[in-house]
Amino acid sequence: MDPVAQFLVLVAGLFLLGTLGEVIFARTQIPDVVWLIVAGVVLGPVTGVVPRASLVEITPYFAALTLIIVLFEGGSRLVLDDLLRAAPRASMLAVASFVLTTLVVAGVSMIFGVFGVLPEWSFAKGVMLGAILGGSSSLIVMPSMTLAKVKQGVANLVNLESALTDALCVVVTLAMVDVVVSGAASVSATAVVLLRSFGIAFGIGVLAGWAWLPVLRVMAGSPHAYPMTLSTLILLYVVVDGAGGSAALGILTFAVIVGNAPAILKRIGFSSKERPVELEPMVRAAHSQISFIVKSFFFTFIGLMLSPPWGLLALGVFLGLVMLAARVPAVFLATRGTSYTRGELELVTVSFPRGMAAGVLATIPSYAGVSGTEELPSVVFAAVITTIVLFAGLFPRAKRRATETPAPVGTGGTEAGPAPGSSTEPVGAAAARPEPVGVAAARPEPVEASERAGAEGSPEGQAPAEPAAPPEGTGDTTAATVRMRPNAPPIPTPSVAVSPPGAQASAPVPTPLPRADGSSPVPPPPTPQTERSSSPGSGHDGR
């Protein structure tokens, strides 16, 4: 086949595979990037259709453009209100996960460096590798949280953490590359380099973002709004990098300001309903399509770049497992004192796949002239694939547990007391118990659990207080046998059924027979030990 035709077929196949992967992802929760990586492995190391050597030369250019696309996509979708609301907990999770992962990866890499697997290795390079792998991928995590349909608080926590760690990875990695290249080995020199890089990038990013807000208003509705925005992003990357700042932080700062233009202007008292200043949906939609194309190419590129030495690939697989282990204490520290269920915490824990940021950053040290990092992409790509495979296997189970209805209180081995007004009798006992005629309609409200507790807690030997019996002639036959609330409303006079002479009373609260002169019977007073008087015919009238 003609090389041009072969190239076009491969491009069309990747786009179709990326689309099919998203459909499969929606149905199975298996990330779509898995299929792109598999396609890259088949096209590269397995069949050799696309030789690895042909990709090495374009890697730096492709990586820089991908970095710009990814950072603007993530930064423009960060909402200020969500940042302010979820920022404390998400920031704690992002920092804890990033720091622990960086330190653990640096330590493990030093061990492998001793055995010669990583040549010319140092602790600064280990921290650089840890920073490359330090954050989860927002391109994988955010769609997964949308499909999982978990509580919004959990989704915001994980989404914001992935966006923050994306930025942390890029900024800290580029700063560490500068530290390694410049030879600043001391802590103070490293801190100065980092602060200088961050300060320059943040300042230029803020100025560029504010300057672009009037342009957004002028370009509202124009079909050229997105090309103008993309060209500005590329130029901003070049300017910040040339000034000695972190180009990634500059792009991210610009994206946050432009993406939250309405909210920022409203906070400073400026708003216009006629011509709002905002990043239009058309621009967002166009950038999303560009992100899809870049994502399809890049994860295929990761699969294509996998190649021996096998020792480096094994190191990447081991680092992927180590990063999952480092995730557990980070989640524990960041979520202490919260009300998340075990299933939700498991979901947060497994939401750690690495992605485009790590893959792009893996190619930068070698391009920047850091010695001993020529084969570093193989380690990083193997670690990225391992974390994605682990996430694909663990996420469905964690999603099911996170969306399960939590068990009611009292089912975990501790018996819960009855609700106020509920019955504690066996099933069917209430239906089997006979009632005096007319009493069921007039039966008073049962005593609350708190009042029963108060009566049971009275001093020993002292009977609980009982309401006074009603006056004679009222016809009320229930006051002496049922304890009532002190302020309960009066009970209406029930009708009285006369039992035949000699019949056995079956009701637990018998109805006294009327006197011979026709007057109402006098109910016996309650006894201190029982709530019911003695049964008629027992020879004891309770007095």
Side-chain angles (χ1 to χ4, degrees):
M1 184 183 294
D2 181 70
V4 175
Q6 184 180 16
F7 171 77
L8 294 177
V9 169
L10 289 177
V11 171
L14 290 180
F15 290 166
L16 291 175
L17 184 60
T19 304
L20 182 62
E22 290 190 348
V23 174
I24 297 175
F25 180 35
R27 295 179 179 271
T28 64
Q29 282 76 55
I30 298 177
D32 52 336
V33 298
V34 171
W35 314 112
L36 297 171
I37 293 173
V38 170
V41 172
V42 172
L43 292 173
V46 175
T47 63
V49 173
V50 181
R52 183 175 185 268
S54 64
L55 301 174
V56 174
E57 295 181 358
I58 66 170
T59 296
Y61 311 101
F62 184 47
L65 183 60
T66 303
L67 189 63
I68 293 172
I69 299 295
V70 170
L71 285 175
F72 185 74
E73 173 75 10
S76 63
R77 295 187 181 277
L78 288 176
V79 182
L80 277 181
D81 290 339
D82 291 343
L83 283 172
L84 296 176
R85 189 182 306 112
R89 189 67 63 176
S91 299
M92 189 184 306
L93 178 59
V95 172
S97 178
F98 181 81
V99 171
L100 285 176
T101 301
T102 301
L103 294 178
V104 169
V105 170
V108 172
S109 68
M110 289 298 296
I111 296 175
F112 279 82
V114 170
F115 291 99
V117 178
L118 294 172
E120 305 178 42
W121 204 246
S122 65
F123 186 73
K125 293 178 182 177
V127 173
M128 180 184 66
L129 176 60
I132 292 173
L133 295 170
S136 54
S137 172
S138 56
L139 278 178
I140 301 176
V141 170
M142 288 182 178
S144 302
M145 291 300 109
T146 302
L147 290 175
K149 297 179 181 179
V150 296
K151 287 195 310 186
Q152 192 60 38
V154 179
N156 286 341
L157 174 70
V158 178
N159 289 342
L160 185 55
E161 182 236 351
S162 66
L164 292 175
T165 52
D166 267 348
L168 279 174
C169 288
V170 175
V171 171
V172 176
T173 298
L174 295 181
M176 288 304 301
V177 169
D178 292 339
V179 169
V180 174
V181 172
S182 63
S186 65
V187 176
S188 59
T190 302
V192 169
V193 171
L194 289 175
L195 290 176
R196 179 177 176 272
S197 176
F198 292 174
I200 293 174
F202 184 77
I204 297 178
V206 169
L207 292 176
W210 277 105
W212 196 249
L213 294 183
V215 179
L216 287 178
R217 189 170 185 177
V218 173
M219 298 289 293
S222 171
H224 307 296
Y226 180 67
M228 290 285 292
T229 303
L230 183 58
S231 62
T232 302
L233 289 170
I234 296 173
L235 292 175
L236 177 62
Y237 183 96
V238 175
V239 170
V240 174
D241 186 65
S246 170
L249 182 59
I251 295 291
L252 187 66
T253 305
F254 177 89
V256 171
I257 292 176
V258 172
N260 292 274
I264 294 174
L265 294 177
K266 186 177 180 180
R267 287 178 181 273
I268 63 176
F270 177 82
S271 61
S272 175
K273 295 183 179 179
E274 297 179 358
R275 299 184 64 183
V277 179
E278 62 180 354
L279 195 62
E280 292 188 324
M282 180 179 63
V283 175
R284 293 185 183 274
H287 193 76
S288 296
Q289 297 303 316
I290 296 295
S291 297
F292 170 78
I293 294 174
V294 170
K295 180 183 72 173
S296 300
F297 277 117
F298 189 79
F299 282 103
T300 307
F301 172 79
I302 288 180
L304 290 169
M305 293 294 288
L306 282 179
S307 62
W310 301 111
L312 295 178
L313 297 181
L315 171 58
V317 172
F318 183 70
L319 289 178
L321 299 173
V322 167
M323 286 187 286
L324 177 59
R327 177 80 172 173
V328 176
V331 172
F332 174 77
L333 291 174
T335 58
R336 291 185 63 185
T338 61
S339 58
Y340 296 131
T341 64
R342 290 184 179 179
E344 291 167 346
L345 291 178
E346 181 180 340
L347 186 69
V348 175
T349 302
V350 302
S351 299
F352 81 118
R354 273 49 179 171
M356 288 181 66
V360 170
L361 294 172
T363 64
I364 292 178
S366 176
Y367 178 73
V370 178
S371 61
T373 60
E374 293 78 10
E375 299 295 336
L376 192 63
S378 297
V379 178
V380 174
F381 293 162
V384 168
I385 294 175
T386 302
T387 59
I388 292 175
V389 170
L390 289 173
F391 175 73
L394 298 175
F395 180 76
R397 175 180 179 272
K399 189 202 83 165
R400 286 195 301 270
R401 294 194 60 185
T403 53
E404 285 177 354
T405 303
V409 178
T411 60
T414 303
E415 186 177 355
S422 63
S423 175
T424 58
E425 297 184 7
V427 177
R433 186 178 68 248
E435 298 276 7
V437 179
V439 173
R443 186 168 61 248
E445 185 178 354
V447 180
E448 296 287 341
S450 59
E451 297 179 48
R452 290 199 301 269
E456 293 169 1
S458 59
E460 189 176 354
Q462 180 180 347
E466 296 283 347
E472 286 192 23
T474 61
D476 190 338
T477 62
T478 62
T481 57
V482 181
R483 290 194 294 128
M484 298 170 56
R485 290 180 172 178
N487 297 325
I491 303 173
T493 304
S495 59
V496 179
V498 180
S499 302
Q504 182 71 26
S506 59
V509 184
T511 304
L513 297 175
R515 292 180 177 177
D517 57 1
S519 60
S520 298
V522 178
T527 62
Q529 302 298 327
T530 62
E531 293 185 1
R532 295 186 298 181
S533 60
S534 302
S535 302
S538 63
H540 181 64
D541 60 3
R543 298 182 182 178

